[in-house]
Amino acid sequence: CGRGPGGCRGGRTDMALRCAASLAAGRQPRGPRREGTVRWSSAAKASAVKINEKASREKILTLESMNPQVKAVEYAVRGPIVLKAGEIEKELRKGIKKPFTEVIKANIGDAHAMGQRPITFLRQVVALCTYPNLLDSPSFPEDAKKRARRILQGCGGNSLGMFTASQGINCIREDVASYIERRDGGVPADPDNIYLTTGASDGISAILKILISGGGKSRTGVMIPIPQYPLYSAAISELDAIQVNYYLDEENCWALNVNELRRALNEAKAYCNPKVLCIINPGNPTGQVQNRKCIEDVIHFAWEEKLFLLADEVYQDNVYSEGCQFHSFKKILYEMGPEYYNNVELASFHSTSKGYMGECGYRGGYMEVINLHPEIKGQLIKLLSVRLCPPVSGQAAMDIVVNPPVPGEESYAQFIKEKESVLNNLAKKAKLTEDMFNKIPGVHCNPLQGAMYAFPRIFLPSKAIEEAKAHKMAPDMFYCMKLLEETGICVVPGSGFGQREGTYHFRMTILPPVEKLKILLEKVKDFHIKFLEKYA
């Protein structure tokens, strides 16, 4: 402490605390700056220890005192199995021998992490926006410079480092509206109904926040598909809303059946107030693409039951199966006539993270919200203003998704070549994955019509189910953990997405390069056969 043998001169508490900290850490306090050894009296030591004991009080924030809604949140995509994968990676780096040389993280739809190359034009525009001095460089095409200048003109100080309006940069919202009109064959879109978001997740969470209210049997119920993307169940838990499950029909390629929606709604009315219906199209984790008739039935159901529709359409570019086509809920709603189009409240979501772009890290996205009450629109903008604005580089990336090169522009040929290469490659991998899974005994995989995942059903022996229970694990978690430990392949158990009682699945991304995907699928095949033999 720099004080003499008597301890902290003058009995100053702050000095005593420093002395106590030194003793607690097993260090002898420093003496005065002079020769000789400093010796502490036993009384001084006892006094310092007593002060240190007082300083070590109980924590304010504990598992018992924390927000119970946060504690209830679960997010399987980055859950226990992914933590285990991280531990195994550390062990491999330390030279600890395993039956494999690397962990293959097939648990999440992170395209660039799996080796997908960025779209050149998108990166060029974002680079120009980030470092405007490059606008003078001959290395960048003029169509990229034109878009970068327009985005920068919409930024205060011509810099991506500024705060934007909470709803997002105006010219980008205009581009989003134009994109929606082109996509939907001329259906009008108003930039004032467009909200730029931090990925689609941010928009979904914001809309749910403003929708959820009431208590007891009046508490808002949110209808979600099972299997579902765990963002929905996590947000519902965090907001202390009521999750209302409706089951997709696995025997019919994960189709959505309105009779099942009606069953779920009627049962939920006994314990909550269902007023939100969430749709994921194309499906995650199931990969189904809804046909026009199905969407019409869902819209009619929402109109009839006075439900607010959430349409998660982030995989709208990822459609692979012949005969399948993406139809936006906005377009079908408009074509059903003014009785529907002027009344059904609909929020639709898109993102830079999926499609052919795979730009997860930019956290770019948008939502279009129609038929909101004018006063609620003000409340939504107020809510969004709390987080100030979405990442501005993500807004710029979103602009290139909705405003790409067009025929006649300098960058069009390269852009369309890269885009089609990514999507054609994904289509090949979707078919490869489906075919290889269906050759494995005890595994069944529905056609991967869209998105970027397989969700095969695995038929587990009763002995494996019993052993899983003995380890206090869900049977498919037990299976996936064994798969990870024996092959290094990280997938997510179906129990993290929800599934019918007595069925077991896992979700695996199809993003790895083709040759690596083949090796991965062969490893799964070999593991599954050995697993069946062990527990038969």
Side-chain angles (χ1 to χ4, degrees), residues 415-468:
F415 168 78
I416 206 70
K417 180 182 176 183
E418 291 176 352
K419 175 182 176 179
E420 289 180 354
S421 173
V422 170
L423 294 176
N424 290 339
N425 211 13
L426 283 169
K428 288 175 186 175
K429 291 188 283 189
K431 185 61 178 165
L432 170 71
T433 303
E434 176 196 339
D435 291 345
M436 289 191 71
F437 272 141
N438 285 327
K439 290 176 182 175
I440 304 173
V443 176
H444 174 72
C445 185
N446 274 322
L448 278 63
Q449 297 176 339
M452 49 184 63
Y453 313 99
F455 196 67
R457 182 174 178 180
I458 48 176
F459 295 85
L460 301 180
S462 57
K463 285 184 180 178
I465 295 170
E466 289 167 12
E467 186 163 336

Side-chain angles (χ1 to χ4, degrees), residues 217 219 221-223 242-245 262-274:
K217 290 186 178 181
R219 190 65 174 164
V222 182
M223 300 180 68
I242 307 299
Q243 179 173 317
V244 179
N245 297 338
R262 201 171 301 283
R263 176 208 62 79
L265 180 81
N266 289 337
E267 289 183 7
K269 285 178 178 178
Y271 55 85
C272 70
N273 175 25

Side-chain angles (χ1 to χ4, degrees), residues 110-279:
D110 191 345
H112 293 187
M114 285 291 178
Q116 181 178 309
R117 305 301 301 164
I119 297 297
T120 302
F121 188 77
L122 187 150
R123 287 296 182 91
Q124 286 174 331
V125 176
V126 175
L128 289 163
C129 289
T130 304
Y131 189 58
N133 288 2
L134 293 173
L135 288 164
D136 297 325
S137 169
S139 300
F140 289 80
E142 283 304 316
D143 48 0
K145 291 179 180 179
K146 178 183 175 183
R147 284 164 175 78
R149 289 190 184 100
R150 182 167 182 267
I151 292 168
L152 288 171
Q153 285 167 6
C155 298
N158 290 311
S159 171
L160 292 193
M162 51 92 63
F163 283 133
T164 72
S166 299
Q167 208 169 334
I169 297 171
N170 188 59
C171 68
I172 298 178
R173 291 191 292 115
E174 290 173 353
D175 288 344
V176 171
S178 297
Y179 161 80
I180 292 169
E181 288 184 358
R182 292 194 309 274
R183 182 198 67 189
D184 293 344
V187 175
D190 183 350
D192 202 38
N193 292 334
I194 308 297
Y195 305 79
L196 301 182
T197 57
T198 307
S201 303
D202 173 49
I204 292 165
S205 297
I207 289 292
L208 286 175
K209 278 182 186 175
I210 210 162
L211 276 163
I212 290 166
S213 64
K217 290 186 178 181
S218 297
R219 190 65 174 164
T220 299
V222 182
M223 300 180 68
I224 63 172
I226 298 295
Q228 52 107 20
Y229 178 50
L231 161 70
Y232 291 93
S233 54
I236 290 165
S237 292
E238 182 183 354
L239 297 170
D240 197 24
I242 307 299
Q243 179 173 317
V244 179
N245 297 338
Y246 66 88
Y247 290 88
L248 302 176
D249 184 0
E250 184 170 11
E251 305 304 317
N252 190 22
C253 205
W254 298 111
L256 194 166
N257 188 302
V258 171
N259 290 332
E260 170 61 13
L261 288 179
R262 201 171 301 283
R263 176 208 62 79
L265 180 81
N266 289 337
E267 289 183 7
K269 285 178 178 178
Y271 55 85
C272 70
N273 175 25
K275 65 179 183 182
V276 187
L277 173 57
C278 302
I279 310 289

Side-chain angles (χ1 to χ4, degrees), residues 155-418:
C155 298
N158 290 311
S159 171
L160 292 193
M162 51 92 63
F163 283 133
T164 72
S166 299
Q167 208 169 334
I169 297 171
N170 188 59
C171 68
I172 298 178
R173 291 191 292 115
E174 290 173 353
D175 288 344
V176 171
S178 297
Y179 161 80
I180 292 169
E181 288 184 358
R182 292 194 309 274
R183 182 198 67 189
D184 293 344
V187 175
D190 183 350
D192 202 38
N193 292 334
I194 308 297
Y195 305 79
L196 301 182
T197 57
T198 307
S201 303
D202 173 49
I204 292 165
S205 297
I207 289 292
L208 286 175
K209 278 182 186 175
I210 210 162
L211 276 163
I212 290 166
S213 64
K217 290 186 178 181
S218 297
R219 190 65 174 164
T220 299
V222 182
M223 300 180 68
I224 63 172
I226 298 295
Q228 52 107 20
Y229 178 50
L231 161 70
Y232 291 93
S233 54
I236 290 165
S237 292
E238 182 183 354
L239 297 170
D240 197 24
I242 307 299
Q243 179 173 317
V244 179
N245 297 338
Y246 66 88
Y247 290 88
L248 302 176
D249 184 0
E250 184 170 11
E251 305 304 317
N252 190 22
C253 205
W254 298 111
L256 194 166
N257 188 302
V258 171
N259 290 332
E260 170 61 13
L261 288 179
R262 201 171 301 283
R263 176 208 62 79
L265 180 81
N266 289 337
E267 289 183 7
K269 285 178 178 178
Y271 55 85
C272 70
N273 175 25
K275 65 179 183 182
V276 187
L277 173 57
C278 302
I279 310 289
I280 309 174
N281 179 46
N284 175 12
T286 46
Q288 86 285 3
V289 178
Q290 292 174 8
N291 61 40
R292 183 189 181 93
K293 176 66 166 59
C294 175
I295 295 172
E296 288 176 348
D297 290 345
V298 170
I299 290 172
H300 177 75
F301 176 78
W303 173 81
E304 185 179 47
E305 298 292 345
K306 297 182 179 177
L307 298 172
F308 194 112
L309 266 176
L310 304 190
D312 183 339
E313 298 175 337
V314 301
Y315 296 99
Q316 58 190 258
D317 289 304
N318 302 106
V319 177
Y320 316 123
S321 292
E322 286 186 22
C324 288
Q325 180 183 350
F326 170 74
H327 301 280
S328 78
F329 268 73
K330 163 86 175 295
K331 180 176 190 252
I332 304 301
L333 179 62
Y334 183 83
E335 291 173 350
M336 288 175 70
E339 189 172 10
Y340 293 94
Y341 184 68
N342 293 329
N343 290 293
V344 174
E345 292 154 278
L346 169 68
S348 307
F349 307 91
H350 196 16
S351 166
T352 62
S353 301
K354 309 304 177 187
Y356 58 90
M357 308 79 66
E359 294 283 7
C360 302
Y362 277 120
R363 307 309 299 131
Y366 75 76
M367 61 180 174
E368 181 187 23
V369 190
I370 62 172
N371 291 326
L372 269 190
H373 189 289
E375 291 178 357
I376 293 298
K377 197 168 188 175
Q379 292 295 318
L380 176 58
I381 292 172
K382 178 185 74 175
L383 176 64
L384 295 174
S385 71
V386 173
R387 54 90 159 118
L388 297 176
C389 69
V392 187
S393 56
Q395 295 186 48
M398 191 74 246
D399 187 67
I400 306 314
V401 175
V402 299
N403 185 25
V406 296
E409 287 191 306
E410 183 179 353
S411 301
Y412 178 75
Q414 182 182 8
F415 168 78
I416 206 70
K417 180 182 176 183
E418 291 176 352

Side-chain angles (χ1 to χ4, degrees), residues 63-82:
L63 284 174
E64 289 70 35
S65 66
M66 72 174 287
N67 184 333
Q69 271 63 61
V70 174
K71 190 158 61 172
V73 168
E74 292 183 3
Y75 188 64
V77 173
R78 295 196 178 205
I81 200 146
V82 182

